[in-house]
Amino acid sequence: MSPSIPDMQWAQVIEQKGGPSVYKQIPVPKPGPDEVLIKVRYSGVCHTDLHAMKGDWPLPLKQPLVGGHEGAGIVVAKGELAKGIEIGDHAGIKWLNGSCLACEFCKTSDEPLCPDAELSGYTVDGTFQQYAIGKAAHVSKLPKEVALDAVAPILCAGVTVYKGLKESGAKPGQTVAIVGAGGGLGSLAQQYAKAMGLRVIAIDGGDEKRGMCEQLGAEAYIDFTKSKDLVEDVKAATPGGLGAHAVLLLAVSEKPFQQAVEYARPRGSIVAIGMPANAFLKAPVFTTVVKMINIKGSYVGNRQDGVEAVDFFVRGLIKAPYKTVPLKELPEVFELMEQGKIAGRYVLEIPE
Ligand code: NAD
Ligand code: ZN
Ligand code: ZN
């Protein structure tokens, strides 16, 4: 390895399920033949990182674990089989760190469904460290003129909501209700929706998020903490009061997953993306049938979705607010996230 790469580095490490995340020195990993080593400059903090630490999901977690999967930085080393990417390139590590590239899902551009998928900051160490590993076939190349702090949240939140909007089937001019609009995914979803010609109804809680959603271009903001009849309020905000053509469920609580069918428009689609712990999607069969509602899940994006989501950003179409704090402050970010107090995204600055 090049002498400029140290043996030890700073990282946030979750020693056991439940946390906390501890700021400490650990060895710098070495890339395998098909991998690159990225000097991470910035990493967004996704609610998935908090779910991982808390052990919210029925999927085993690597332990000890370095979290993080919205990492943007510079390639500093590569294995001999790593193709299409060079030392010095700017690149991003996403949730999907690697996949087998040989199974039926990988062959048909559904890599997130690969049974051997490796997940950054979950089954393999992620981007809350100075040097992180990604499979060369899966890292996102980033143009050098793009600011690495601003682009970081695109690598999970951006890709995921862009894919979710495509999966919804909503067409330009139609209305999408974004539930959890004030969070990291939600703020970016509003921008992608707008860039894709969709009209946005934002649903979240509190006045700080209201202000942000109005700035991001939402036509209406419904405050779930104040509304006396959320279903009626959402319908009233849609053209003709018919309901939303698409509902993007990004919230971290179960209730909206039980409610969305009521304010979706007939023939509308409901896309589940948020993953609150132990939650169920529930819908009245009668209403679902007579309104011909389409209910589906959407999980990150494939490599090409990543390219497209970054491209929207590079063309200046996606601007969502983020706050930058040092890597060592991750526990404070988790605390604010747990309390639902983050409007937009937090991005960690990784020490040089
Ligand atoms: P976040 O904490 O930034 O945002 C969540 C938002 O939901 C907050 O603004 C919160 O106020 C809001 N909310 C909570 N209860 C609500 C309710 N009843 N109605 C409306 N809004 C409500 O989280 P994030 O980083 O944006 O992630 C959101 C979810 O998406 C998490 O569960 C995360 O794990 C998941 N996620 C899924 C994928 C995927 O591929 N499907 C990818 C990334 C993240
Ligand atoms: Zn994420
Ligand atoms: Zn595969």
Side-chain angles (χ1 to χ4, degrees):
M1 221 182 268
S2 128
S4 62
I5 301 169
D7 294 330
M8 297 295 285
Q9 59 162 344
W10 286 104
Q12 282 284 354
V13 184
I14 297 162
E15 314 269 1
Q16 75 267 320
K17 194 167 104 176
S21 188
V22 181
Y23 190 55
K24 61 188 278 195
Q25 291 252 322
I26 60 167
V28 171
K30 292 189 176 31
D34 58 345
E35 293 174 340
V36 294
L37 182 68
I38 292 183
K39 181 176 180 177
V40 186
R41 300 300 303 115
Y42 294 93
S43 180
V45 184
C46 179
H47 207 111
T48 292
D49 299 309
L50 182 56
H51 289 305
M53 183 175 78
K54 287 164 66 183
D56 276 348
W57 297 337
L59 179 67
L61 195 71
K62 174 185 179 288
Q63 285 177 50
L65 174 74
V66 176
H69 57 275
E70 282 183 352
I74 299 147
V75 177
V76 291
K78 58 178 255 186
E80 67 271 24
L81 301 178
K83 296 267 172 11
I85 187 135
E86 301 304 329
I87 290 171
D89 283 349
H90 289 192
I93 290 180
K94 304 185 293 286
W95 174 247
L96 199 63
N97 192 279
S99 70
C100 80
L101 304 178
C103 72
E104 187 178 327
F105 297 107
C106 284
K107 281 182 193 157
T108 54
S109 65
D110 260 336
E111 305 92 89
L113 307 181
C114 175
D116 294 321
E118 290 176 311
L119 311 174
S120 309
Y122 202 97
T123 66
V124 295
D125 284 342
T127 54
F128 296 157
Q129 56 182 340
Q130 288 176 286
Y131 293 88
I133 290 216
K135 293 282 182 200
H138 275 279
V139 294
S140 288
K141 265 176 88 167
L142 302 170
K144 285 202 174 137
E145 68 271 18
V146 164
L148 292 173
D149 52 351
V151 77
I154 303 299
L155 296 164
C156 175
V159 176
T160 301
V161 299
Y162 171 62
K163 176 71 158 189
L165 287 165
K166 286 205 289 188
E167 288 285 319
S168 79
K171 296 187 179 64
Q174 296 186 336
T175 301
V176 55
I178 299 177
V179 190
L185 268 66
S187 54
L188 283 162
Q190 295 182 63
Q191 290 278 284
Y192 278 95
K194 236 178 103 181
M196 294 161 85
L198 302 169
R199 302 173 64 174
V200 171
I201 295 171
I203 305 166
D204 210 311
D207 286 338
E208 189 189 358
K209 291 176 185 175
R210 172 189 295 277
M212 186 191 77
C213 292
E214 284 169 357
Q215 275 202 335
L216 289 172
E219 291 184 20
Y221 176 82
I222 319 272
D223 189 328
F224 78 92
T225 65
K226 292 192 184 141
S227 168
K228 297 212 164 55
D229 189 338
L230 187 98
V231 170
E232 277 317 308
D233 287 349
V234 175
K235 283 171 88 170
T238 64
L242 288 173
H245 291 87
V247 183
L248 230 54
L249 290 167
L250 311 171
V252 285
S253 63
E254 187 177 26
K255 187 155 185 213
F257 289 77
Q258 323 267 6
Q259 236 174 5
V261 163
E262 305 293 341
Y263 55 74
R265 183 185 167 107
R267 272 245 185 247
S269 58
I270 294 169
V271 186
I273 293 175
M275 289 184 275
N278 308 311
F280 285 82
L281 265 166
K282 209 164 96 186
V285 171
F286 179 81
T287 315
T288 308
V289 170
V290 300
K291 286 174 71 175
M292 296 185 72
I293 300 292
N294 178 15
I295 303 177
K296 62 190 335 197
S298 185
Y299 182 37
V300 288
N302 64 24
R303 289 172 291 164
Q304 181 60 21
D305 294 317
V307 171
E308 293 171 15
V310 167
D311 191 54
F312 270 74
F313 178 83
V314 171
R315 288 185 287 133
L317 298 169
I318 310 297
K319 293 194 177 81
Y322 61 92
K323 288 199 184 91
T324 308
V325 297
L327 176 63
K328 66 173 172 355
E329 287 180 23
L330 176 62
E332 286 87 341
V333 177
F334 277 157
E335 188 64 40
L336 289 171
M337 188 175 262
E338 178 77 54
Q339 295 164 6
K341 285 192 182 150
I342 299 179
R345 207 37 140 202
Y346 268 77
V347 172
L348 302 175
E349 182 171 8
I350 315 296
E352 281 239 39

